[in-house]
Amino acid sequence: MIYFNCNGQGKILYHEFEPTASDFRITKWNINKEKLPYYYLIEKVDFKNRVTELKFYENGQFYVDHLCYLTTWIKYEYPNAQTIIQTNLNEKGIPEANIECLIPSKTTYHLSKNQREIINSKDEFTFDHTPYLKNNWTEKEIGEVIEELKSEEQTASVIDYYSMSFYKLNNIFPVDNKFDISTFYFNELEKEKIISGLK
């Protein structure tokens, strides 16, 4: 079911997902918010049918017990028609990076004019270093890891977590020019929406 924001500026959708040993998988799109399952996510969509937020829940609480390379709160911004900015947030809504798992705090995707191809992407690593310092990292070590990650950066094949969005970019699923769906593990529900979004 699709629910409209009270200000009329967008929609809110609820989807069921399941955590696997290494990822999240959509098990049902557009579920009833009055009968939420144990694992669900909330998708916010703007008036142009673009996903603006994905937030994952477990038993009614924000999902925080997760692997370091899985993000459970993602925001998307669209400063212009050819740019998508993804920000990964922690449970307090503060930008977060997991550098030991190669996860940036923010990624900017630049798209082709028709919005179907990712031309390039740029990662940022602006985040609170305190948790790392408490775990015996030094500022020097943090800086070295960030520099290494930046030196190995390549254009993203897909926009992270867009496979978990029902609306995506007004039903478009942007990919780079080397994208091969067979090299990704999407389940059938996700794959159906992705293939539709590639057309």
Side-chain angles (χ1 to χ4, degrees):
M1 298 180 74
I2 298 171
Y3 302 88
F4 289 88
N5 288 343
C6 59
N7 60 12
Q9 293 299 303
K11 301 180 266 289
I12 298 174
L13 297 85
Y14 295 78
H15 314 305
E16 184 176 11
F17 79 95
E18 64 178 1
T20 70
S22 61
D23 208 349
F24 300 139
R25 295 283 168 243
I26 292 291
T27 54
K28 192 179 288 185
W29 296 115
N30 302 325
I31 59 175
N32 187 335
K33 75 173 182 178
E34 305 303 326
K35 299 177 182 178
L36 293 171
Y38 194 80
Y39 294 108
Y40 64 93
L41 69 103
I42 297 175
E43 174 179 2
K44 292 184 179 178
V45 180
D46 70 12
F47 69 100
K48 292 185 177 181
N49 287 331
R50 305 173 301 191
V51 56
T52 59
E53 182 176 88
L54 296 173
K55 195 171 181 183
F56 294 77
Y57 290 85
E58 176 185 23
N59 197 24
Q61 302 294 317
F62 178 60
Y63 191 91
V64 293
D65 184 19
H66 59 87
L67 299 169
C68 72
Y69 53 82
L70 293 179
T71 304
T72 55
W73 189 353
I74 305 105
K75 286 201 173 186
Y76 301 97
E77 299 171 88
Y78 304 88
N80 58 57
Q82 276 75 50
T83 306
I84 300 173
I85 299 172
Q86 173 192 336
T87 305
N88 299 320
L89 306 172
N90 66 16
E91 66 275 10
K92 296 177 182 176
I94 298 168
E96 171 183 69
N98 286 305
I99 57 175
E100 69 273 34
C101 289
L102 317 180
I103 305 299
S105 55
K106 182 183 288 188
T107 302
T108 301
Y109 305 89
H110 298 284
L111 309 181
S112 60
K113 193 169 184 179
N114 68 3
Q115 300 180 309
R116 297 188 177 275
E117 185 179 340
I118 300 171
I119 303 298
N120 62 59
S121 59
K122 181 75 173 167
D123 291 335
E124 294 179 37
F125 297 88
T126 305
F127 60 96
D128 180 8
H129 294 183
T130 304
Y132 287 89
L133 298 172
K134 285 182 179 177
N135 282 317
N136 298 319
W137 287 63
T138 66
E139 286 290 357
K140 182 181 178 186
E141 288 170 333
I142 294 169
E144 287 171 349
V145 171
I146 290 172
E147 286 308 310
E148 184 178 351
L149 291 174
K150 287 181 177 178
S151 71
E152 296 173 354
E153 188 175 355
Q154 298 179 359
T155 297
S157 295
V158 297
I159 295 166
D160 282 346
Y161 293 89
Y162 249 43
S163 63
M164 308 291 287
S165 161
F166 187 79
Y167 272 99
K168 305 177 188 349
L169 179 63
N170 194 19
N171 298 310
I172 296 172
F173 189 76
V175 296
D176 75 348
N177 60 10
K178 298 175 184 173
F179 177 76
D180 179 357
I181 198 167
S182 67
T183 64
F184 289 82
Y185 179 66
F186 300 118
N187 69 17
E188 291 307 311
L189 271 179
E190 295 163 354
K191 200 177 286 187
E192 183 181 353
K193 288 290 295 176
I194 289 167
I195 290 170
S196 172
L198 293 172
K199 294 176 182 176

